[in-house]
Amino acid sequence: MSGSVSTCDVAIVGGGVVGCALARELSRLASLHIIVFEKTDMVGSGASKANSGILHAGTDTPLTTLKGRLTSRGNELIREAAKHLHFGLKMIGALVVARLPPEVEELHKEMANSAEKGIPVEFWDHDKLLLEEPNLSPALVAGMFTPLCGVLNPYELCFALMLCAMQNGAELRTNSTVVGINHTDNANYPLQLVTSDGEQVMTRFILNCAGVHTDTIAKLAGTDPDFVIVPRKGEEYLLDRNVTYGPKRVIYPVPSKVSKGILCIPTVDGTLMVGPTADVVEDPEDTCTTADGCKRVFDFVRTMCPKISERDIIASFAGVRAAVSCGDFIIGPTKVKGFINVAGIQSPGLTCAMSIAEYVKGILVTEGLHAEPRLDWQEDISPMPKFYSLPLEEQARLADVSTPKGALFSKVVCRCEVVTEGDVHAAIDQGAKTVDGVKFRTRAGCGRCQGGFCTSRILEILSQRTGIQIEELTKCGPGSTLVNGEHIAVLTVDRPFPLQPPLSASTVIPTNVDVVVIGAGPAGLAAASGARDAGASHVLVFDREASSGGILNQCIHSGFGLHHFKEELTGPEYAERWVATARAKGAQIIPSAFVLKAQNLGKKEKVINALVGGLGVVQVTAKSIVLAMGARERTRPQVRIPGTRPAGVYPAGLAQKLMNIYGKLPGKRCVILGSGDIGLIMARRMKLSGADVVGVFEVLPTCSGLNRNVVQCLFDYKIPLHLSHTVVKIYGKKRIERVTVAPVGPGPNFVPDMSKAWDIDCDSLLFSVGLIPENELTLQLGASINPSTSGAIVDSNLQTTLPGVFSCGNVLHIHDLVDNVSEEGKLAGRNAALYAAATESNEGTPTPGTKTVSLVAGDNVRYVLPQTVTIPADLPADSKLTVNVSLRVKQALSGPCIQIPEIAFQERHQIAIPSEMVILKVPLVKLSAVSSTSAISVVASGTPITSEQLANTVNPVKALDDAHKYYICLRCPNGCPLVLTPSADGNHKVTGNKCKRGIEYALSEYTAPMRTISMTIPIANAEIAKLPCKLSAAIPRDRLLEAAAVIQNLHDIQAPVHMGDVLIADFLGLPGVSVVATRSLAALEGSPNTSTDATTASATSTTPSCTTTASIPPNPSAELPANSSHSSS
């Protein structure tokens, strides 16, 4: 539109809910040309989006105000429009509660006002209040109930209003800021509107609906407005839908003269929202959340709902309302003919939007607008599918793969909100061009993980549909790209990813099986193998990913398999071996299978309804279930970092997926918050890919990850680790620009010392602040949850409180090592198979004489697992059987003794810290002596380690004195602290090691430090963009960055490739060092190489020895997985 000149009858400035409602209302008129100008990338992206989403009844607004006269009509119009526009609306009613006796009088005044306006209300005394809303505070005095209050989805309302207007001829200009309004000599078009892209539009009328900028737009028109917008910010906090302490209705306090107060709002989507604040701000674009605002919201709302907790926050946001001093709407013509203000639209502006539109239409007629009603006006719009909101039968109908779009609805993109590819495509059909555009139309990214799992797949679909490269796609319009824009490799992967191939229609999924395993990560694959080993005849694995292996497929680094496979593997290698093992043992793995519903109908009747890509909804009945759904990352809202919500802020796992699967760099100057292992590993990965990693900041006085990772991920690359520091604020409107960091005081509050805070310029912030077990299905089944682990309560068979339902891996409790996850999975699978095989007469019934002993966390122990141990009745007195007891200590201890005093069991350790799990092997014979009615404690004692001492333990290389050297061993996950005493004769002494490898490592570190790395290479004709690879042997540490640069410049890799294929021999001129593929990738169906052998690569490096070799025979256990496909969220 740049530089163009056009005309229209009505120009609407601002695409908020009022502007959209006006466009729809005016589209009823024939031959009326309407254009809406919105400065952002989509309608409803200002205050209309960031509000409480309440359809107010109008009990508090008197008829003497314009608000009071428009609210009831607006309520009525929105309820009627919902039938035609299909936006979310639930009429749940509201309660205005009196917290103190004097406020009861205010309730009666509001009831009188309601009676005058014809609004039905009821007075509820204290007893009635608590009877109807038992989660409210007993201290509340009374309440006023109205049934005419509802909750709605505000952005859905905006989209629906605009879609209706557009299908009736209205036009929309996005990313179009009005920068000038001129007066013309043309009597028909007296006003000229000029936009930021140079478009000039001559018009009869301009409707000023610019929200917080209405006074600015009015000045552009030369009206000399008699009002001033006072921007008033409101912060809101969204809580998890699984909370059980929320009310059923909207809860208001008695309103003040400034606002309706801080509310408790059950949203239309099933979550709980609290807020808003009401703070005057200078900047009308100030949408920062604040620590003070969060505290005020939760302190206040707990006076009404005392159990509400900040721990359940999943999202936070702020909106700026267009307040004016008079407190009422300012709507009407001005001294400039044709220019009409629609200003001061604060609460209840959302409710009044459609009645405001009616009112303004009347003003336009009075001002000379003459138009007849359209006879062909279309009131109804095509509804968005909203797969997540449908009953199971409707979901099955929508995902019927025999229908044209059924296959798209058979594949889930967003696991938290159950959004399918079909939903995403429908959003794009309705105009979504950005990640937020998809999010607000489908809810993809609105759930617990806040887009951590689904963002990458949404980018992929958007790229495919729009033809825009992933690095050019944005979060919310220009300036908000999500990745850096520079590919990691010289070779650009310029094709969009293919849609995941569906299962063949001939695939048969049995309807009755012995064991169903939900999840195909390391725990699920091991459980399937264990179940088959124990005799289960049919084991079915539902894998919600398209490529089995879970998170391991993007964990290209080494460190896996040392215990189980007795060699160090990368994540993809470990996953591929377990996939091959499970298949070889006869387990059936179903990819792209998302469990919609799981029911425990009886001891041996577990019914699972799953949505399977390419097949639709299937139902399976199993005798037992193993839950192995893994975990999700904690997000920014859960650690309550205030500030803006720009692009470039990622969970570390999403950044890892973007790099290792998609080949996209999240940023070039990065800050990492949290020192979990994934954060440390991503610091190294970013550095190897050319990014500047400013530092890793950890709020605790010690690193949360393994010490060995501090050495090989931070120290080796000179990346600073700042313990007892945190990020206190994020800046940037579109993309992150900087953060403020500060040291913190001691726990548990970790109060930042702002006098020592400083700013860091950055274009990306990665969060590595812990994992949370994904137990939504566990809760759905009805199993009990342990609040200390956020996983199920289990016995020593890993059986939950539901007979026949077992749990293992990170969904049970968060592990440090994947080998332990697999061991736990095998145990759960074995016991699930034994349960399935038990006869009806003895299933779930303990053998006479069987004893159950309860374990509880005692002194200095945060949790212990399992919670109960079953002792067989026929246990021999000399039995060597043991049970694994896992625990974490509450505080760091030096020389700890872990004890079970009642059975005289103890183990001594060098050190125990809260971030590292301790596993005891407790003899069953000792436990058999305990009374079955007893609960015995597991306790830890030792010398507490101070914060200073604890920080010193993660210093990877330090001088103890002139005669000693200190190292952290990297040869295994134990990370032994080693002390080397040099000797002039070369017979150096090493202490602190638990095995010979420690001596070898210390000597190597002292003389010539050696390391290996894992990277990715662009690959053509494969299901993913990047092939993971590693060095087959260690190289000098000082050549790591050189090696990474050479690997990144490889090209001409073609699928298929097998795990173990040599891509370069004698790498960097080092004999015996090869670049080796660590994942098998099949060629895309129909590509030239579909049936050819794996091909090798050439390197652009000038190093003569970087030449290709023939590929070596693949590992026999690493055959191409039958369900190998792009790993999507």
Side-chain angles (χ1 to χ4, degrees):
M1 292 293 177
S2 179
S4 65
V5 179
S6 58
T7 63
C8 71
D9 296 299
V10 180
I12 300 173
V13 181
V17 67
V18 172
C20 293
L22 271 163
R24 176 179 181 266
E25 183 64 26
L26 295 177
S27 74
R28 296 174 183 266
L29 302 177
S31 304
L32 199 63
H33 187 188
I34 306 157
I35 303 179
V36 177
F37 294 88
E38 168 55 42
K39 69 173 186 173
T40 69
D41 67 298
M42 65 181 183
V43 297
S45 59
S48 300
K49 177 186 70 178
N51 67 51
S52 302
I54 299 174
L55 181 65
H56 295 288
T59 57
D60 64 323
T61 50
L63 287 173
T64 54
T65 64
L66 185 55
K67 284 183 181 180
R69 296 192 295 276
L70 291 177
T71 304
S72 293
R73 176 60 176 164
N75 181 298
E76 177 187 351
L77 288 171
I78 283 183
R79 284 186 283 126
E80 177 61 29
K83 304 171 186 176
H84 306 281
L85 301 182
H86 313 291
F87 54 86
L89 172 65
K90 292 180 181 178
M91 299 302 296
I92 61 174
L95 277 167
V96 183
V97 295
R99 296 178 300 136
L100 299 168
E103 293 181 340
V104 176
E105 183 179 350
E106 297 300 318
L107 289 183
H108 288 296
K109 290 180 181 178
E110 196 162 324
M111 291 181 70
N113 183 62
S114 301
E116 183 181 0
K117 297 172 69 175
I119 301 170
V121 294
E122 298 174 14
F123 181 81
W124 288 2
D125 63 16
H126 174 271
D127 293 344
K128 172 74 169 177
L129 198 63
L130 294 184
L131 177 67
E132 295 291 340
E133 291 284 2
N135 287 324
L136 292 185
S137 170
L140 295 177
V141 179
M144 180 194 76
F145 168 70
T146 175
L148 285 185
C149 180
V151 287
L152 56 82
N153 187 314
Y155 25 89
E156 280 186 5
L157 173 60
C158 290
F159 296 145
L161 290 167
M162 196 65 233
L163 279 170
C164 183
M166 291 172 70
Q167 77 180 9
N168 287 290
E171 297 179 25
L172 172 65
R173 305 276 198 272
T174 55
N175 296 312
S176 185
T177 303
V178 173
V179 296
I181 296 175
N182 302 320
H183 301 264
T184 76
D185 296 328
N186 190 321
N188 293 322
Y189 301 103
L191 298 172
Q192 182 190 55
L193 182 148
V194 182
T195 69
S196 52
D197 60 359
E199 183 180 8
Q200 300 174 39
V201 179
M202 298 175 66
T203 181
R204 297 171 62 193
F205 295 96
I206 293 178
L207 305 183
N208 180 12
C209 306
V212 291
H213 299 290
T214 47
D215 52 354
T216 301
I217 297 298
K219 290 174 183 175
L220 287 178
T223 65
D224 190 20
D226 56 359
F227 64 90
V228 175
I229 295 295
V230 180
R232 186 180 294 155
K233 182 170 69 174
E235 298 180 32
E236 309 254 17
Y237 296 85
L238 199 65
L239 310 185
D240 194 289
R241 63 163 45 93
N242 280 342
V243 300
T244 57
Y245 49 63
K248 295 174 284 188
R249 302 166 181 84
V250 177
I251 307 299
Y252 296 83
V254 171
S256 70
K257 293 181 179 179
V258 175
S259 75
K260 290 181 169 59
I262 294 174
L263 320 180
C264 188
I265 308 157
T267 73
V268 71
D269 298 303
T271 53
L272 185 66
M273 187 160 64
V274 293
T277 54
D279 301 318
V280 173
V281 291
E282 291 184 7
D283 181 2
E285 302 289 336
D286 178 6
T287 57
C288 287
T289 55
T290 64
D292 174 68
C294 181
K295 184 178 187 303
R296 281 186 285 130
V297 165
F298 281 90
D299 285 350
F300 185 90
V301 83
R302 275 193 285 264
T303 65
M304 301 186 295
C305 301
K307 295 180 182 178
I308 285 178
S309 171
E310 297 94 328
R311 291 191 301 271
D312 295 309
I313 296 173
I314 63 169
S316 59
F317 58 89
V320 182
R321 290 162 261 171
V324 287
S325 57
C326 69
D328 202 358
F329 298 155
I330 298 174
I331 303 174
T334 66
K335 67 180 183 180
V336 174
K337 183 170 177 57
F339 187 89
I340 297 171
N341 281 320
V342 187
I345 310 300
Q346 55 176 319
S347 183
L350 184 72
T351 301
C352 295
M354 296 180 72
S355 55
I356 288 172
E358 279 189 341
Y359 184 77
V360 172
K361 185 170 73 171
I363 293 173
L364 286 170
V365 172
T366 302
E367 292 294 304
L369 177 67
H370 301 292
E372 298 296 324
R374 285 184 61 150
L375 300 179
D376 59 347
W377 190 69
Q378 300 176 52
E379 187 172 12
D380 293 276
I381 65 169
S382 298
M384 281 287 291
K386 295 185 186 178
F387 186 91
Y388 71 91
S389 68
L390 300 174
L392 185 62
E393 296 77 12
E394 283 298 300
Q395 289 178 331
R397 181 191 61 77
L398 196 59
D400 181 352
V401 295
S402 66
T403 62
K405 295 184 179 180
L408 292 175
F409 286 102
S410 71
K411 286 173 279 192
V412 168
V413 172
C414 173
R415 63 177 70 170
C416 300
E417 298 297 308
V418 197
V419 178
T420 68
E421 289 191 359
D423 293 301
V424 176
H425 281 273
I428 296 170
D429 291 338
Q430 288 201 358
K433 301 173 184 176
T434 65
V435 171
D436 277 1
V438 171
K439 173 181 178 178
F440 292 120
R441 287 172 172 86
T442 66
R443 291 193 57 76
C446 288
R448 300 176 181 94
C449 82
Q450 289 291 288
F453 288 117
C454 63
T455 297
S456 54
R457 180 62 180 145
I458 290 169
L459 283 169
E460 188 177 331
I461 297 172
L462 276 167
S463 179
Q464 184 193 46
R465 285 290 307 275
T466 64
I468 301 171
Q469 290 297 303
I470 286 177
E471 62 271 20
E472 296 173 2
L473 291 168
T474 66
K475 177 182 185 288
C476 54
S480 64
T481 53
L482 287 126
V483 291
N484 178 257
E486 293 185 10
H487 295 278
I488 295 173
V490 171
L491 175 68
T492 60
V493 183
D494 58 2
R495 57 167 172 77
F497 292 85
L499 285 174
Q500 302 153 16
L503 287 175
S504 167
S506 62
T507 303
V508 176
I509 297 180
T511 56
N512 290 277
V513 300
D514 291 330
V515 180
V516 161
V517 179
I518 303 177
L525 293 169
S529 300
R532 287 289 291 163
D533 286 343
S537 60
H538 205 139
V539 177
L540 193 64
V541 183
F542 283 127
D543 182 6
R544 61 189 166 197
E545 303 291 343
S547 293
S548 296
I551 199 70
L552 292 176
N553 285 322
Q554 67 189 55
C555 297
I556 66 168
H557 52 278
S558 298
F560 306 95
L562 286 163
H563 296 312
H564 188 82
F565 292 111
K566 309 304 180 187
E567 61 178 299
E568 189 169 27
L569 303 171
T570 65
E573 289 174 309
Y574 189 88
E576 195 162 321
R577 288 198 183 186
W578 269 110
V579 170
T581 299
R583 283 213 181 88
K585 292 186 176 183
Q588 184 180 1
I589 303 174
I590 307 299
S592 299
F594 182 88
V595 174
L596 296 167
K597 187 176 183 181
Q599 300 174 83
N600 178 42
L601 300 182
K603 288 186 175 180
K604 286 197 176 180
E605 189 180 4
K606 324 294 181 185
V607 178
I608 298 97
N609 296 99
L611 182 65
V612 180
L615 293 182
V617 175
V618 300
Q619 180 171 299
V620 175
T621 300
K623 295 176 181 177
S624 62
I625 295 177
V626 179
L627 302 173
M629 294 86 68
R632 65 178 178 271
E633 293 182 271
R634 291 186 188 277
T635 61
R636 170 193 171 179
Q638 290 167 323
V639 292
R640 300 193 289 282
I641 305 297
T644 55
R645 302 177 71 196
V649 179
Y650 299 102
L654 173 58
Q656 183 185 55
K657 188 170 189 176
L658 287 169
M659 293 186 72
N660 294 342
I661 301 295
Y662 290 79
K664 308 298 178 184
L665 191 62
K668 295 187 69 177
R669 184 172 168 83
C670 177
V671 171
I672 296 177
L673 178 63
S675 62
D677 287 315
I678 183 63
L680 303 178
I681 289 161
M682 282 306 298
R684 175 180 62 185
R685 184 74 174 97
M686 296 282 285
K687 184 74 173 182
L688 287 171
S689 298
D692 177 16
V693 182
V694 181
V696 175
F697 296 83
E698 170 59 57
V699 71
L700 297 173
T702 183
C703 184
S704 298
L706 298 173
N707 280 355
R708 67 194 300 263
N709 283 333
V710 177
V711 176
Q712 61 188 346
C713 297
L714 301 188
F715 174 76
D716 282 354
Y717 301 93
K718 298 180 174 55
I719 298 172
L721 172 62
H722 301 270
L723 298 173
S724 297
H725 283 74
T726 192
V727 173
V728 295
K729 194 170 183 180
I730 297 170
Y731 302 86
K733 293 189 186 305
K734 290 288 191 173
R735 175 142 184 134
I736 185 170
E737 297 169 359
R738 71 182 193 279
V739 296
T740 299
V741 298
V744 300
N749 295 323
F750 304 106
V751 177
D753 181 354
M754 297 307 295
S755 69
K756 298 178 181 178
W758 76 98
D759 286 359
I760 298 174
D761 292 336
C762 60
D763 66 359
S764 52
L765 171 64
L766 274 54
F767 282 85
S768 177
V769 288
L771 300 172
I772 303 173
E774 285 205 280
N775 270 298
E776 287 68 41
L777 285 176
T778 311
L779 291 167
Q780 190 182 106
L781 282 161
S784 299
I785 297 293
N786 178 0
S788 295
T789 62
S790 298
I793 293 173
V794 295
D795 62 17
S796 51
N797 295 321
L798 300 182
Q799 183 172 233
T800 69
T801 52
L802 300 175
V805 178
F806 299 79
S807 182
C808 59
N810 280 347
V811 78
L812 179 59
H813 59 143
I814 302 303
H815 290 67
D816 305 326
L817 301 177
V818 73
D819 297 75
N820 293 337
V821 169
S822 297
E823 182 179 352
E824 200 169 82
K826 286 181 68 177
L827 177 62
R830 171 186 176 275
N831 290 320
L834 295 177
Y835 179 92
T839 61
E840 293 292 335
S841 60
N842 66 13
E843 79 179 34
T845 303
T847 304
T850 298
K851 182 181 294 184
T852 300
V853 177
S854 297
L855 299 178
V856 296
D859 292 343
N860 286 326
V861 175
R862 185 164 69 86
Y863 76 82
V864 61
L865 188 145
Q867 284 78 23
T868 60
V869 178
T870 301
I871 314 294
D874 55 354
L875 182 73
D878 60 350
S879 172
K880 304 297 183 185
L881 292 176
T882 61
V883 61
N884 282 358
V885 175
S886 302
L887 62 96
R888 292 185 189 268
V889 295
K890 288 183 178 178
Q891 62 175 328
L893 299 172
S894 176
C897 181
I898 314 296
Q899 296 177 289
I900 307 179
E902 287 87 344
I903 62 172
F905 173 89
Q906 68 176 31
E907 270 191 16
R908 291 195 175 274
H909 298 256
Q910 287 184 321
I911 189 172
I913 58 177
S915 61
E916 294 186 9
M917 186 188 298
V918 176
I919 300 178
L920 311 175
K921 289 192 175 295
V922 181
L924 286 181
V925 167
K926 283 183 173 285
L927 289 169
S928 66
V930 178
S931 167
S932 61
T933 59
S934 302
I936 62 176
S937 298
V938 182
V939 301
S941 59
T943 304
I945 303 176
T946 66
S947 296
E948 293 76 15
Q949 292 171 323
L950 196 56
N952 202 34
T953 66
V954 298
N955 188 357
V957 177
K958 59 187 178 184
L960 299 180
D961 52 52
D962 292 340
H964 299 87
K965 298 290 183 182
Y966 173 85
Y967 304 108
I968 297 293
C969 183
L970 303 184
R971 294 294 168 88
C972 78
N974 289 329
C976 296
L978 307 175
V979 176
L980 183 145
T981 304
S983 173
D985 61 7
N987 294 319
H988 313 306
K989 182 181 178 182
V990 178
T991 58
N993 58 296
K994 293 182 180 178
C995 65
K996 291 182 180 179
R997 291 179 296 177
I999 297 174
E1000 296 169 357
Y1001 175 78
L1003 294 174
S1004 172
E1005 282 295 282
Y1006 182 63
T1007 56
M1010 303 288 283
R1011 298 286 189 272
T1012 186
I1013 57 171
S1014 303
M1015 295 291 289
T1016 56
I1017 305 172
I1019 183 168
N1021 299 322
E1023 298 92 337
I1024 61 175
K1026 289 285 183 169
L1027 170 68
C1029 62
K1030 69 177 182 180
L1031 300 184
S1032 62
I1035 64 173
R1037 185 177 66 188
D1038 59 8
R1039 300 192 70 180
L1040 289 174
L1041 292 176
E1042 175 193 359
V1046 172
I1047 291 174
Q1048 288 187 137
N1049 283 296
L1050 290 174
H1051 60 86
D1052 294 340
I1053 300 282
Q1054 299 280 329
V1057 172
H1058 297 84
M1059 183 174 72
D1061 284 354
V1062 172
L1063 307 175
I1064 305 178
D1066 296 336
F1067 182 60
L1068 297 181
L1070 300 171
V1073 179
S1074 301
V1075 178
V1076 180
T1078 57
R1079 180 175 180 177
S1080 299
L1081 289 175
L1084 293 176
E1085 186 176 348
S1087 70
N1089 299 313
T1090 300
S1091 60
T1092 62
D1093 292 332
T1095 55
T1096 54
S1098 61
T1100 59
S1101 169
T1102 56
T1103 307
S1105 58
C1106 291
T1107 57
T1108 63
T1109 70
S1111 54
I1112 61 174
N1115 186 318
S1117 67
E1119 66 224 41
L1120 283 174
N1123 70 325
S1124 177
S1125 181
H1126 167 63
S1127 178
S1128 77
S1129 295

